[in-house]
Amino acid sequence: MAISQLTSASDFKKFISEHRLSLVHFYAPWAASCEQVNKVLKDLEEDAKSIPSVGFAFIDAEGVAEVSAMHSIAAAPTVVYFKDGKEVDRVNGYKPSELEMKLTKHSFDIATTPLISQPKPKEDLNTRLKKLIESHRLMLFMKGSPDNPKCGFSKQTVALLNEIGAKFGSFDILSDEETYSNWPTYPQLYLDGELIGGLDVIREELKDADFVAKLPKKEENDLNARLKKLINKHKLMLFMKGDRHEPQCGFSRQIIQLLDGVKADYETFDILQDEEVRQGLKASYDFSHSPN
């Protein structure tokens, strides 16, 4: 780690965004006290090499006047402390002890305060539907789940698909108001991303042997193989409701916080997006609830 010389507003913005804690010295080349502060900062930078995500920089207060004006720099030397891109403290003038004390304080703060991640922007409906439709070769949008249909049409469709041993994914439209409010009829079946239709169309298509032959079929031990592959995907694998950025239940949220708190390296799988996996975990591994 070395002390950076910032020569523009873009340099400055980039620098404070790249470090959890940034010390920026607004200096004047002609001021002797600024040179003294520079020497102190070089010593502090050397001592802080073992502290992750702490950066030191110089910026000419007069040469990059727009940044100085933005942060109300009235005189040089001024050292401003930025935490996660926002000013949290400053030291005006040559005060070595105060510079060191505030570095210690704010270094401790970032070490004990987790970085708050920005929420992921919500996907538009068409993008979400496309991802769902393409998540399985044969995808059924229905009311409820295959194990617990919430309407007669959905129940009949599931029975027809199970009767021929079709392997399919499902999505409960009642669990997503946005999807449900824009859905014309239900259930709806998709094959390889293309709409087949509702119950009446499905019933007719299943009379066609060529159509049935195209459908993916369940294989013996196929689910167990999927589960084993998922479980072994990562050394630490969390099956949960939602994902690490948007947990969908309190238990999942608490476990994410615990794992993130110890900086664990892990991956997650959203059981709400795959009813087959969800039920398979319950049956094969005696997981009565998630996360696990």
Side-chain angles (χ1 to χ4, degrees):
M1 181 171 63
I3 300 182
S4 302
Q5 178 70 55
L6 309 179
T7 59
S8 66
S10 60
D11 281 352
F12 169 78
K13 290 178 182 178
K14 183 173 184 290
F15 180 81
I16 64 172
S17 69
E18 290 177 340
H19 300 85
R20 292 216 58 199
L21 179 63
S22 308
L23 278 70
V24 181
H25 177 203
F26 290 81
Y27 73 96
W30 44 263
S33 56
C34 288
E35 184 57 35
Q36 291 177 307
V37 170
N38 284 344
K39 291 178 180 178
V40 173
L41 291 179
K42 287 177 182 177
D43 290 339
L44 293 177
E45 186 270 339
E46 186 67 29
D47 293 338
K49 283 184 176 179
S50 61
I51 305 174
S53 201
V54 177
F56 294 77
F58 307 135
I59 188 167
D60 186 337
E62 295 176 344
V64 194
E66 65 266 40
V67 176
S68 298
M70 186 187 308
H71 293 282
S72 303
I73 304 300
T78 296
V79 176
V80 182
Y81 296 70
F82 296 91
K83 178 183 174 185
D84 297 331
K86 295 182 179 180
E87 180 179 342
V88 291
D89 217 334
R90 65 172 59 197
V91 175
N92 298 312
Y94 176 63
K95 300 173 184 175
S97 297
E98 191 173 345
L99 285 169
E100 183 176 6
M101 178 190 69
K102 290 187 175 182
L103 172 60
T104 301
K105 174 184 181 299
H106 294 298
S107 296
F108 178 79
D109 287 346
I110 65 167
T112 56
T113 305
L115 178 63
I116 300 174
S117 59
Q118 296 298 318
K120 295 191 300 183
K122 188 175 181 180
E123 292 178 317
D124 65 81
L125 180 59
N126 288 335
T127 301
R128 291 175 58 220
L129 288 175
K130 186 174 186 294
K131 284 186 177 181
L132 285 169
I133 290 167
E134 295 177 350
S135 63
H136 293 79
R137 280 198 61 209
L138 191 62
M139 187 68 184
L140 178 66
F141 290 82
M142 60 180 291
K143 279 189 170 185
S145 67
D147 292 323
N148 187 25
K150 297 296 186 182
C151 77
F153 294 138
S154 294
K155 185 176 182 179
Q156 292 179 59
T157 302
V158 169
L160 288 171
L161 294 175
N162 284 337
E163 186 178 342
I164 61 169
K167 177 183 176 182
F168 64 97
S170 68
F171 181 80
D172 179 7
I173 62 171
L174 297 180
S175 68
D176 191 312
E177 184 177 351
E178 186 178 20
T179 301
Y180 176 60
S181 63
N182 286 275
W183 211 254
T185 59
Y186 43 82
Q188 292 285 343
L189 185 67
Y190 283 79
L191 175 62
D192 294 329
E194 298 294 329
L195 175 64
I196 301 302
L199 176 59
D200 290 340
V201 175
I202 295 168
R203 186 181 284 116
E204 288 301 313
E205 290 285 1
L206 291 180
K207 295 176 182 178
D208 182 350
D210 291 337
F211 175 79
V212 173
K214 292 190 297 184
L215 300 180
K217 304 296 192 303
K218 294 178 182 177
E219 299 175 8
E220 188 175 357
N221 297 324
D222 181 61
L223 177 57
N224 286 337
R226 280 193 69 207
L227 293 177
K228 185 176 180 180
K229 185 176 180 180
L230 282 170
I231 290 169
N232 293 328
K233 183 179 178 182
H234 198 272
K235 187 174 182 180
L236 185 59
M237 191 72 188
L238 177 65
F239 291 85
M240 61 179 290
K241 292 182 178 180
D243 59 35
R244 65 195 304 166
H245 302 293
E246 296 182 7
Q248 297 298 314
C249 76
F251 293 132
S252 294
R253 184 175 295 106
Q254 290 178 51
I255 289 187
I256 289 294
Q257 290 172 347
L258 289 171
L259 293 175
D260 287 345
V262 297
K263 296 182 172 60
D265 180 19
Y266 65 98
E267 288 193 14
T268 66
F269 182 86
D270 181 4
I271 61 169
L272 296 179
Q273 297 299 322
D274 196 315
E275 186 65 22
E276 184 182 39
V277 169
R278 184 179 185 179
Q279 297 302 325
L281 287 171
K282 288 182 180 180
S284 301
Y285 297 92
D286 193 26
F287 289 172
S288 57
H289 53 76
S290 289
N292 283 288

